[in-house]
Amino acid sequence: MTNHQIDKFSTPQRQSKIGVLLIFFATLYKLVRGFWAIAAYLIFSSPSAKTWIYIGFGLAVVGILALVYSYVYYQKFLFHIDYKKEVFVLHKGVFSSENTEIPFDKIQQVNTEQSLLQRIANVYKLVIDTAGGKEKEASIMAISKAKANQLSAILMEAKETSETESEIGTENISAKKEKTVWSYKMSLATLLKIGISSNYFRGLAIILAFFSTIYQEFSRWFRDSVVLDEYTNQFSGLSKSISGILVLVTLFLLASIAITMIEVFIKYFNLKLQQTKSRLQVEMGLKTNKKVSLQPRRIQLLQTKTNPIQKKLDLHELKVSLANSEDALQKSKIRIPGLGKSTVDKVHSFLYKAEADGANVVFRSHKILLVRRLFFSLLPVAISWLIWWMVPFMNGYLLLALTGIYTAAICLYQFL
């Protein structure tokens, strides 16, 4: 291998200069997160003006020290590729030096992420995911888009070449640009459909957990509310209680749907898929823009998920699990929601290149399984009637109505 070939990232280099500020803000965030309790105490303890002067002086000193630390960290943070040893090298540390070498054949994925702050600074975070570890082995906080794409392409190509025991030519790697086979971009209307049809019970659980902490204030507000009194005064007894519960459930349900829609919008805004001959590029996110490159040989599990409402809207969610260590499957699971059936078929055909004839065989459970499940599901009905026969604990017509509704619902559920 000639020296002319080994020129891309072969010498140690630093992040983008704006990385100093990003490291500084990250350091401040860690300090605030670590000492928020002390800050809250000082705010609510009403310190004197003299104390505030000392606090301001202390914060200024901490800020200067954090800035110095960030600059030194930036200067000592170096990365390069050692083509002879076939490793990616990362050197960092302020008070102690840490040198990390990642062999090409241990690299699983090289992804890029972009937070709001990084988006403003027009830089990317490059994350190298390795096999056998639960945590990300290496990350570069501030790198330009061109360098991030180039380094990602070189490392992923180097990994493939290393596995086939071939030589690496960085000029060919960096110059290699694959043509796009097909692409997909999620529309705003699809995002809204996902938010409305997704599992908003999670949002409901968040709301209930929140209101449980302020239950007394919440109930006092409803008790003192004139509007609610005027609404509920027209009811009495059981009907009044039921109407109040229906109002609360409706409010909670609407709030949970709103929370789910906001969460979906932040996670999956501007979702894009782009397939080339060898990989599928996935990009999404508003708060943190994440870009992942998927290769068929790295896919360990592929799940397709939908619900009756989403099926009617032609919305399907893909869950892709990348091959990693045995106990780290959850770490590398990627969710891609809101895909139409045609797009799902394209992803399937790319990731699993099945033969055209006889590739798919569908198996169903034996009907005896339905009989067994119905037997155990309807057993509580028989027990309830047996107990009622010995000790009538409610009106017989009411019990008949309840068991009838339960039987119809459970039979339909088990059949489906």
Side-chain angles (χ1 to χ4, degrees), residues 9-23:
F9 301 100
S10 59
T11 57
Q13 51 191 283
R14 296 185 176 89
Q15 305 177 76
S16 299
K17 293 181 179 179
I18 195 68
V20 177
L21 291 179
L22 294 177
I23 297 169

Side-chain angles (χ1 to χ4, degrees), residues 102-145:
I102 304 176
F104 292 158
D105 59 353
K106 295 297 182 182
I107 297 174
Q108 288 294 335
Q109 290 289 324
V110 183
N111 306 325
T112 58
E113 299 176 2
Q114 195 178 36
S115 65
L116 287 176
L117 195 60
Q118 288 166 329
R119 204 171 300 178
I120 294 172
N122 196 27
V123 293
Y124 287 77
K125 178 181 180 181
L126 188 132
V127 180
I128 300 175
D129 191 6
T130 63
K134 293 185 179 181
E135 302 294 335
K136 303 296 188 287
E137 290 292 340
S139 62
I140 303 172
M141 183 178 292
I143 185 171
S144 66
K145 182 178 181 180

Side-chain angles (χ1 to χ4, degrees), residues 178-184 272-282 294 296 343 345-351 353:
E178 296 180 314
K179 293 183 179 179
T180 300
V181 178
W182 60 266
S183 61
Y184 166 82
K272 298 177 184 176
L273 298 180
Q274 187 178 38
Q275 186 217 314
T276 62
K277 183 179 179 181
S278 64
R279 65 194 68 206
L280 179 66
Q281 193 84 10
V282 183
L294 303 177
T343 307
D345 291 340
K346 288 180 181 178
V347 175
H348 271 271
S349 62
F350 169 68
L351 297 179
K353 303 183 185 299

Side-chain angles (χ1 to χ4, degrees), residues 54 82 146 149 250 254 306-307 333 349:
Y54 287 125
D82 190 331
N149 291 337
T250 303
L254 291 175
T306 188
N307 59 44
K333 185 170 287 187
S349 62

Side-chain angles (χ1 to χ4, degrees), residues 13-50:
Q13 51 191 283
R14 296 185 176 89
Q15 305 177 76
S16 299
K17 293 181 179 179
I18 195 68
V20 177
L21 291 179
L22 294 177
I23 297 169
F24 173 69
F25 287 123
T27 304
L28 287 183
Y29 173 74
K30 291 178 181 178
L31 290 174
V32 171
R33 189 177 61 180
F35 297 99
W36 70 268
I38 297 176
Y41 172 77
L42 290 173
I43 292 173
F44 290 106
S45 62
S46 301
S48 62
K50 187 176 182 180

Side-chain angles (χ1 to χ4, degrees), residues 353-385:
K353 303 183 185 299
E355 297 292 336
D357 298 327
N360 299 316
V361 180
V362 179
F363 296 91
R364 293 186 183 277
S365 302
H366 197 278
K367 292 180 180 179
I368 193 65
L369 178 63
L370 176 61
V371 177
R372 290 173 57 186
R373 293 176 69 94
L374 285 174
F375 173 78
F376 287 108
S377 299
L378 296 177
L379 195 59
V381 175
I383 294 174
S384 299
W385 277 100

